[in-house]
Amino acid sequence: MYLFLKIASSAIIIGVVTEVARRFPVYGGIVAALPLISILSIIWLTLQGTPNHNVSQFAWGVLVGLPATAVMLLVIYFGLKYSIHLVIAILLGIIAWGLFLLLQNLIMKAFAS
């Protein structure tokens, strides 16, 4: 039952966001940037009995991933702005995301030592 509710609520959110974005691109982007998926995930994890410590670690993981996600979106934005094909812009964004996460991890390890 939880699986169906998770799929349905996610589909509804994606549908609403894309409809808002189609009519009002900037507002659609703002709505898409809301931490809806993170909040829903935290709610579902809690309802399914996940210990608070694990939910807390999940929230930390989301925070750690935010800078890399911002870099990915910037690369995609500039790629599309300069007429790079959508697929290539997304691939470049994913590569930038991965490289940023790798660099971020190396920096965090260097300061943790």
Side-chain angles (χ1 to χ4, degrees):
M1 183 65 175
Y2 278 134
L3 180 61
F4 175 74
L5 286 172
K6 288 189 273 188
I7 292 169
S9 62
S10 298
I12 290 168
I13 289 171
I14 291 168
V16 168
V17 169
T18 55
E19 283 303 308
V20 171
R22 192 169 59 84
R23 290 180 178 89
F24 311 101
V26 172
Y27 294 123
I30 292 169
V31 172
L34 292 172
L36 296 172
I37 300 303
S38 298
I39 291 169
L40 278 176
S41 297
I42 289 169
I43 291 169
W44 288 119
L45 286 168
T46 302
L47 288 176
Q48 292 177 314
T50 303
N52 281 346
H53 175 72
N54 289 1
V55 177
S56 173
Q57 286 181 321
F58 168 80
W60 177 250
V62 172
L63 284 170
V64 169
L66 282 175
T69 299
V71 168
M72 179 190 71
L73 292 171
L74 277 171
V75 169
I76 294 171
Y77 165 76
F78 283 114
L80 294 174
K81 183 176 180 178
Y82 293 107
S83 300
I84 294 176
H85 190 273
L86 174 65
V87 173
I88 295 171
I90 290 173
L91 286 174
L92 290 172
I94 291 170
I95 291 168
W97 176 81
L99 290 173
F100 190 91
L101 278 178
L102 179 65
L103 178 65
Q104 179 178 312
N105 192 27
L106 292 172
I107 291 170
M108 287 175 71
K109 283 183 181 178
F111 283 108
S113 302

